[in-house]
Amino acid sequence: MMTTQTESHFNWARSAGLAYLGVAVLAGFAEFSVRTGMVVDGDAAQTMANIAANQTVYGLAGIADLLVLLLDTWLGLAFWMLLKSVNRPMALLALFLNLLRLPWMGANVVYHFGALLLVNGALPNFPPEQVQDIVAFLMDMHAYGYTANGIFFGAWCFSIGWLFYRSGFVPRLLGVVMMLALVGYWTDLFVVFVTPEFEAIISPFAVMPAALAEISVCLWLTLAGKAVHRAFQRHNAASLAVPSGVV
């Protein structure tokens, strides 16, 4: 009973919102403020030169990626605690999907730091042009790994959205937009790997609504966390009041 009371009194909604907000800020910094600005398509020499000239920022981007993994771990736990009373199997699926993608993204960070090693002379006996090509290749592998993660992340968004929609203490609109995020991430995945000639046209329109849905969720949980927490407590109290034999 003590454990149940502690779980109920801790504000899992605001905790999830703050963790999600941290993920958005750190991932946005690493992927869009740093890597996107340094990679020059078709110009391996300039890409390597950009990393070499901004090693401190580039290194911070890698650390930000690692911090995202820690926050994502907490986020998975917070959503499990918040939503397991809505539908335990679906909440467990969301938790497993979150745990499944974390090793993938952790391995992907190796490409980021691998490029930094090459910039600092990890292969001194290789011709400069070859080192530049390897750096560009590692950055491309990181980008592909980031996109491929969408298969897991989109499914996670859908499961969380479904739980939001069914919860009664999270606005159904947030549930709908999170479920639709799956369409955006899976569309981007398909375009990048199957029809790359359309990537520049389709991918931004596919990913942007999904990203806005995530931002809406993290801001709402952070700002309205107290109200969500009270509704969560009422939901838990009502669930505990139902006799065990009643479905």
Side-chain angles (χ1 to χ4, degrees), residues 13-50:
R14 179 158 289 161
S15 174
L18 289 171
Y20 215 156
L21 190 60
V23 167
V25 171
L26 290 171
F29 163 73
E31 183 64 16
F32 301 108
S33 296
V34 178
R35 276 186 293 267
T36 300
M38 292 188 182
V39 175
V40 181
D41 291 336
D43 194 337
Q46 187 60 53
T47 296
M48 184 168 173
N50 289 340

